[in-house]
Amino acid sequence: MIVVVTVSANYWVWRKTHASITLESEQCAHEPVGLVFGTSYGLRGGGENPWYRARLDLAASLWKSGQVDHLLISGDNHTRYYNEPVRMWRDLRQAQIPDAAMTLDYAGFSTFDTLARSRDVFGVSRVTLISQRWHLPRALFIAQYLGLEARGCATRGRTMFDDRWMWAREILARVQVIADLYILDRHPYFLGPSIVLPTSAQGPGHIIPVYQRVAMPDPVEQALGNLRIRLDAPSAPQPKTPWRVIR
């Protein structure tokens, strides 16, 4: 019975989600939000967690290529000494991702909490899930259950043999998630007040591009303002304004 339940649960999850996973990052469709799932920076035996680095590299690549307009960075911050979102934020800044392109979620204690909060706290409706191939089926299954229009973009660089223990873990995790959703009626650990992402009036989930949100230096803004005035002015000759040196 245990084997039948395990196989059936995994087949159900795979059947509902496999068509929504893209393995080549260049082919990932554009979405307004890219959701980065948190994970620990280091391994217990020492060294950097390869899954952590792969997620951040993919997130940075998708934003720079314009495949996502905004990054929602979610992770665990259950104590003052452990803060996954801030660590990811710092590393993404080093990868030249501007602050205006990132929003941090400090209560992403689990995959379910991260996705539920993205919908109920941050108002996300369309999203690209950024994670490993072994994790995306379960994440997409939860997203679909929550009514999110989600697609998965998988990281690369490691084989199934390299990640064999994570694939094995996911076999059981997929059984657990079905029990959580359909039997235990799971709810997120913490929601809190709504946090508005930088959306525009063009439609639900539409993110304002970062270049429209970052304030320009005063001299540049003043020069553009003068140019707009000149373009709107009548065609009659106007007195010339001498050039000024802006220090």
Side-chain angles (χ1 to χ4, degrees):
M1 179 64 68
I2 293 175
V3 172
V4 170
V5 169
T6 302
V7 171
S8 300
N10 277 264
Y11 178 74
W12 186 13
V13 171
W14 175 84
R15 180 71 179 270
K16 287 197 65 177
T17 62
H18 77 281
S20 299
I21 298 175
T22 303
L23 302 181
E24 300 294 332
S25 61
E26 297 82 2
Q27 300 176 8
C28 292
H30 171 267
E31 293 293 350
V33 179
L35 178 55
V36 189
F37 291 91
T39 186
S40 60
Y41 167 79
L43 298 173
R44 291 183 179 179
E48 186 182 64
N49 183 349
W51 306 307
Y52 170 91
R53 178 54 53 190
R55 293 180 188 182
L56 294 197
D57 288 347
L58 178 57
S61 174
L62 292 177
W63 185 84
K64 291 178 180 178
S65 65
Q67 290 165 279
V68 297
D69 298 324
H70 195 79
L71 294 173
L72 177 56
I73 304 168
S74 181
D76 192 345
N77 177 214
H78 64 280
T79 74
R80 60 183 297 186
Y81 305 105
Y82 186 78
N83 196 321
E84 290 176 353
V86 166
R87 181 60 190 250
M88 293 191 290
W89 167 73
R90 288 174 179 170
D91 287 348
L92 284 170
R93 290 187 74 191
Q94 291 182 358
Q96 308 303 314
I97 306 300
D99 289 346
M102 298 182 283
T103 297
L104 275 60
D105 173 18
Y106 298 96
F109 303 124
S110 66
T111 299
F112 176 83
D113 285 41
T114 290
L115 289 163
R117 285 176 55 80
S118 72
R119 182 194 67 178
D120 298 336
V121 175
F122 296 95
V124 172
S125 58
R126 292 175 50 198
V127 62
T128 290
L129 308 185
I130 301 171
S131 191
Q132 276 71 31
R133 184 180 175 186
W134 42 262
H135 177 230
L136 284 174
R138 177 164 58 94
L140 281 166
F141 189 85
I142 297 172
Q144 292 174 6
Y145 176 87
L146 294 174
L148 294 173
E149 187 177 340
R151 298 191 63 84
C153 195
T155 63
R156 292 182 294 178
R158 290 174 64 89
T159 66
M160 291 184 64
F161 180 80
D162 293 332
D163 290 345
R164 58 191 180 278
W165 296 116
M166 300 309 298
W167 283 95
R169 174 183 176 274
E170 281 297 308
I171 291 175
L172 299 178
R174 293 168 190 171
V175 178
Q176 179 64 48
V177 78
I178 290 176
D180 286 342
L181 299 179
Y182 293 97
I183 300 176
L184 303 177
D185 191 24
R186 180 174 177 175
H187 296 279
Y189 181 77
F190 177 76
L191 284 177
S194 297
I195 301 174
V196 180
L197 294 181
T199 57
S200 74
Q202 296 186 27
H206 182 87
I207 300 297
I208 302 174
V210 67
Y211 64 83
Q212 295 180 10
R213 291 184 269 120
V214 178
M216 288 182 288
D218 290 339
V220 177
E221 186 64 42
Q222 183 178 358
L224 289 175
N226 292 336
L227 178 60
R228 295 188 191 100
I229 293 174
R230 288 180 176 276
L231 292 175
D232 294 337
S235 58
Q238 299 291 327
K240 294 184 178 180
T241 302
W243 289 95
R244 292 182 302 159
V245 177
I246 300 176
R247 298 182 180 275

